[in-house]
Amino acid sequence: MECRFASDAELDIVCDLLTSEFYDDPVLKYAFTGTNKEKRMKVMRGFFRIYVELAQKLGGVVLTENNAGTLVYFGPKLMEMKEEDNQLIDRQLREVCGDDYVTAVAFMDGLDRNHPRTPPHYYVFLIAVSRYSRRGGVLVEKLLRQLNTTLDREKLPCYAECTTLGVRTFVRRFGYRDVGAPLHIEGFPEVYPIWREPE
């Protein structure tokens, strides 16, 4: 089975996978700082749910076979969000993040400040593959190839940030290249911005 778009009923699966695979992420551990694992996972899951639901409306949420990998992305309409939409997201973040609200928002604001405004483009927000899958690289390839097909058909570029050098290196084989210097968001390790032009 190839990749498929997640249904609304499958968004819990997506959020569980993201929470599991980003729990020890070298950047996000500075955004979600709770020492109680259960509480920290609940906060992270709530955070991911907000953006996964938004991507379901403004982009796409893709799952691989056996739900072992997911890709969450936004289309160009993300940059057209109105102030009331941003205020709603902020209220949701305040509600689900609790004590981690300030650091989570600081990270998201830092990403937003550095996000290119033009030209119109897609944005890979999150990609995760289960650490228990023996086919991790193959699943990432399937996810990115499906997205790249859309990018090439619509003749639109794509932007993303990588939280590790390993991921940044891996995605180069799919046409993604460094775009500018690593991002420095105060209080967080470097994040590596990448860009892909349509083929």
Side-chain angles (χ1 to χ4, degrees):
M1 179 193 292
E2 295 299 319
C3 302
R4 70 186 187 284
F5 285 100
S7 67
D8 289 346
E10 293 175 313
L11 297 187
D12 284 339
I13 295 169
V14 172
C15 293
D16 288 343
L17 180 59
L18 292 171
T19 302
S20 172
E21 298 312 311
F22 278 98
Y23 185 81
D24 293 316
D25 181 82
V27 174
L28 290 185
K29 69 181 181 182
Y30 288 89
F32 304 102
T33 59
T35 54
N36 179 307
K37 182 174 181 178
E38 184 177 326
K39 181 179 177 183
R40 185 166 175 259
M41 290 190 79
K42 180 180 179 182
V43 170
M44 291 182 70
R45 192 178 186 285
F47 170 87
F48 289 134
R49 182 72 190 212
I50 291 168
Y51 289 100
V52 165
E53 287 182 0
L54 186 63
Q56 189 79 326
K57 297 173 187 172
L58 299 179
V61 180
V62 181
L63 279 166
T64 62
E65 65 263 24
N66 302 321
N67 303 327
T70 188
L71 170 65
V72 180
Y73 67 88
F74 294 100
K77 290 184 179 179
L78 176 68
M79 305 310 292
E80 300 171 9
M81 285 180 58
K82 297 180 171 51
E83 181 56 30
E84 55 263 33
D85 298 322
N86 292 319
Q87 290 176 2
L88 173 61
I89 290 172
D90 185 73
R91 287 195 299 272
Q92 292 173 325
L93 288 171
R94 191 178 295 273
E95 182 178 333
V96 303
C97 291
D99 294 341
D100 288 323
Y101 168 78
V102 172
T103 52
V105 169
F107 180 64
M108 295 305 294
D109 285 349
L111 293 180
D112 185 60
R113 278 192 304 275
N114 290 283
H115 193 118
R117 298 303 191 246
T118 57
H121 60 276
Y122 277 71
Y123 174 39
V124 174
F125 183 59
L126 296 162
I127 186 166
V129 172
S130 171
R131 70 193 75 181
Y132 303 111
S133 172
R134 296 177 184 167
R135 303 174 61 234
V138 172
L139 297 181
V140 171
E141 179 177 351
K142 286 184 177 184
L143 289 164
L144 288 175
R145 289 204 186 283
Q146 175 164 322
L147 177 60
N148 287 355
T149 298
T150 300
L151 300 174
D152 294 343
R153 183 179 65 244
E154 297 186 15
K155 301 190 184 318
L156 286 173
C158 186
Y159 175 75
E161 303 103 355
C162 301
T163 58
T164 69
L165 285 169
V167 172
R168 186 189 72 169
T169 300
F170 181 76
V171 298
R172 286 178 175 166
R173 68 182 70 178
F174 307 105
Y176 293 82
R177 299 288 178 259
D178 294 344
V179 54
L183 307 182
H184 296 276
I185 301 170
E186 186 176 353
F188 295 87
E190 291 181 336
V191 177
Y192 308 97
I194 56 174
W195 184 268
R196 180 188 184 274
E197 289 291 339
E199 296 177 359

